[in-house]
Amino acid sequence: MHWRKLALLLPPFILSFYLLITYLPETLSQYSIAVAILFWIIYYGWVFIEEKQKEKLNKDSTDNIK
């Protein structure tokens, strides 16, 4: 697990989730779950992009050796 990414992303998402739960009317408060979904999309997207970049760098470095 990427703890630094979680530590960076989690506080703003928790704050926005809390604010939405608190200030949205009762009929719309169920939409605050979208914050959690958005958090996981951004987190796993970031991890995916970073891993693809590492694979590309490893491939390029092995190609230069040959």
Side-chain angles (χ1 to χ4, degrees):
M1 189 163 257
H2 303 265
W3 293 107
R4 288 184 182 168
K5 289 177 185 61
L6 281 174
L8 183 69
L9 290 174
L10 203 55
F13 279 96
I14 287 176
L15 178 65
S16 60
F17 181 77
Y18 174 75
L19 290 174
L20 285 173
I21 285 286
T22 305
Y23 293 112
L24 278 178
E26 255 185 62
T27 58
L28 298 175
S29 64
Q30 73 268 12
Y31 292 116
S32 59
I33 195 70
V35 173
I37 295 169
L38 183 63
F39 168 79
W40 288 112
I41 289 172
I42 291 172
Y43 171 76
Y44 281 115
W46 190 0
V47 170
F48 177 77
I49 290 169
E50 191 174 78
E51 287 177 2
K52 286 294 181 183
Q53 288 175 346
K54 284 182 183 177
E55 286 177 10
K56 184 178 178 184
L57 285 174
N58 287 339
K59 182 182 176 203
D60 290 345
S61 65
T62 57
D63 287 345
N64 291 336
I65 293 172
K66 292 179 181 179

